[in-house]
Amino acid sequence: MSSNGLPRHGLRRDIGVTGIVALGLGTAVGVSVYSVLAPATQLAGVAMIVSMLLAMVPMLVYAIIYAFMGAAVPVTGASYEWPRRFVHPFLGFIISWLRIAGSTSAVIVLTMVLVSYVGTFVALPLKLTMFALLVFVLIVNLLGVSAAAKSQGVMLVILLGTCALFVLGGAPSIDASNYTPFASHGIAGIFAAVPLLISLFLGIESATEVGGEVKNPARSIPLGISISIVLTALVYLAVAMAALGVLGPEKLGASSAPLLDAGVAAFGPAGRYLIVASAIVAIGSSINATFIIMSRFLYAMAREGMLHSALGKVSGKHDVPRAAILCAFAMCCVGLFLPSNLVFLFLAVNIPTILKYCATCAAAVGLVRMRPDLYEAAGFRPSKRTIYALAVAGVGLGVLIIVAGWTADWRPYALLGTWASVGCLYYLMMRRR
């Protein structure tokens, strides 16, 4: 038995609303805000703010679905468990199988950008420093989900503080004329920037992946997701408005490091330290949150016999899935050999994530139809008609987003297609056994 009375094979319920917000906000507010504002401004001008609001629409759809599912069926490894239970076991498997590649790519792109920001002050060997970061995250996660969630909370406070300092401290440097003309690139420009800005909100639902470790999940998960998406939107809108006001659309659109340039323009040389500190905390929290989620769906797959049984065991005095954590670490180490191209890596992350959203939408429909008892018992439950409508909209939006990415780089599609084929063969072998 564990110290809290739970059997050793069970996970501790240590995460509260604050932990859910820290995981969701920590995953969403990461590398994108430090890089995507420039190309979005090139496409839409100042009206990039409208594009950002439009980019929230798909995530609002998915957030409602996830809040409902998290309240009705709180489980660890939710993106595997929900499609497996309420659609088909193969769907749960292949989504999680693709997410192994997607999560690996996510950790790699985050560590790479983090080292690049730190490299503005001191020269560091890229791959070796990335490996050192992975070792640090491994150690934190072996100390238990409570320690990992608390570290997320600390980083969240620092992140919000640095963002508030940037927005409020930069206010005197804002020139109102920089906000005109507003829609200089027209309606077409506004919609063209939306696919880029969607990446700002991906991962807001991350805490549902550790639903089996959440205290009072029926209440905490919907509340935590709601707070996360509101805070994320406020942070992005405030930071984007401040950056536009300080630099203006032309300078912001031409910048290779938009927030860094805006910080220097507003605060002088001290602005560089502020933005780099903010980037380190934001990206660091995203790395930690992504790693937590990756280890948990490996654990969930193993518990159902889809991966080696050792990955589904809880061990150590902190009651963590140690083998799953070590496996996630090993996969990330392999990921160090992926191409160091941001477009490639972003697509390798986003495609499995969008497919996960689509599968969860299908699972929501399956739950309502197959288990009306779970629907009725859910602490947060929109009407059945609303769930059906949101699920259809979620799948349609997901397909459009995935198709739109093909023209940017076809190689991630080829890589993920190959990985999916390997997964299909593996699944068939497991089923025969």
Side-chain angles (χ1 to χ4, degrees):
M1 298 288 289
S2 63
S3 59
N4 63 353
L6 290 174
R8 278 291 179 187
H9 63 270
L11 296 168
R12 293 184 181 183
R13 291 189 178 273
D14 284 339
I15 303 177
V17 174
T18 301
I20 293 172
V21 174
L23 285 172
L25 196 61
T27 304
V29 183
V31 65
S32 294
V33 71
Y34 296 94
S35 55
V36 79
L37 293 184
T41 304
Q42 288 178 355
L43 291 170
V46 179
M48 173 264 290
I49 298 297
V50 177
S51 304
M52 188 178 290
L53 293 173
L54 292 175
M56 286 182 60
V57 174
M59 204 59 238
L60 285 171
V61 172
Y62 297 132
I64 295 172
I65 291 291
Y66 269 86
F68 162 64
M69 292 296 288
V73 190
V75 290
T76 291
S79 61
Y80 167 71
E81 287 289 344
W82 292 339
R84 180 189 72 81
R85 295 184 188 185
F86 304 115
V87 183
H88 192 277
F90 175 73
L91 182 60
F93 169 81
I94 199 65
I95 290 297
S96 293
W97 182 265
L98 286 170
R99 288 195 66 214
I100 294 174
S103 296
T104 299
S105 301
V107 172
I108 294 307
V109 70
L110 289 166
T111 53
M112 184 172 68
V113 174
L114 179 56
V115 174
S116 298
Y117 263 87
V118 177
T120 61
F121 290 103
V122 56
L124 295 170
L126 179 62
K127 297 294 184 179
L128 183 60
T129 309
M130 291 169 66
F131 176 74
L133 285 170
L134 294 178
V135 172
F136 176 75
V137 173
L138 169 66
I139 293 171
V140 171
N141 278 264
L142 287 175
L143 293 176
V145 72
S146 179
K150 287 177 181 176
S151 68
Q152 284 293 105
V154 171
M155 288 188 284
L156 175 61
V157 171
I158 297 172
L159 170 61
L160 293 178
T162 53
C163 287
L165 183 60
F166 170 73
V167 172
L168 298 176
S173 302
I174 291 176
D175 183 352
S177 65
N178 285 333
Y179 296 121
T180 56
F182 185 73
S184 56
H185 296 70
I187 299 296
I190 291 174
F191 281 101
V194 171
L196 286 177
L197 294 170
I198 283 174
S199 63
L200 292 172
F201 300 97
L202 296 182
I204 203 74
E205 80 302 329
S206 293
T208 59
E209 297 290 354
V210 292
E213 297 161 87
V214 174
K215 294 179 288 188
N216 191 14
R219 171 186 176 274
S220 298
I221 290 178
L223 178 60
I225 290 178
S226 301
I227 295 173
S228 296
I229 199 164
V230 170
L231 281 179
T232 300
L234 290 175
V235 169
Y236 284 146
L237 288 170
V239 168
M241 289 294 290
L244 279 167
V246 171
L247 288 182
E250 291 187 7
K251 289 183 179 179
L252 185 65
S255 174
S256 59
L259 291 191
L260 191 63
D261 289 344
V264 172
F267 297 93
R272 178 180 297 275
Y273 294 96
L274 173 66
I275 298 302
V276 171
S278 176
I280 290 172
V281 174
I283 300 171
S285 65
S286 289
I287 295 170
N288 189 44
T290 303
F291 191 92
I292 293 172
I293 303 312
M294 183 178 181
S295 65
R296 268 36 180 199
F297 67 72
L298 290 173
Y299 164 84
M301 293 174 73
R303 293 280 288 185
E304 294 301 322
M306 288 292 101
L307 294 176
H308 194 282
S309 60
L311 300 177
K313 294 180 179 179
V314 175
S315 57
K317 66 178 182 179
H318 299 290
D319 294 324
V320 296
R322 181 184 296 170
I325 290 171
L326 291 172
C327 181
F329 171 75
M331 290 298 300
C332 291
C333 289
V334 173
L336 292 171
F337 297 96
L338 287 172
S340 299
N341 179 281
L342 284 178
V343 174
F344 175 94
L345 291 170
F346 270 125
L347 286 173
V349 174
N350 290 351
I351 295 167
T353 302
I354 296 299
L355 288 173
K356 177 194 76 170
Y357 293 159
C358 293
T360 299
C361 288
V365 173
L367 183 150
V368 171
R369 291 179 175 176
M370 297 165 54
R371 294 295 305 272
D373 58 317
L374 292 177
Y375 170 78
E376 295 296 336
F380 170 75
R381 63 174 188 278
S383 69
K384 293 181 180 180
R385 182 173 296 180
T386 299
I387 292 174
Y388 292 150
L390 290 174
V392 171
V395 172
L397 289 167
V399 171
L400 289 175
I401 294 168
I402 291 172
V403 171
W406 175 267
T407 57
D409 192 340
W410 60 270
R411 294 176 301 163
Y413 292 82
L415 174 66
L416 292 170
T418 302
W419 179 248
S421 299
V422 173
C424 290
L425 293 174
Y426 175 80
Y427 181 83
L428 290 174
M429 292 172 57
M430 292 295 293
R431 294 290 289 181
R432 288 179 180 176
R433 292 179 184 177

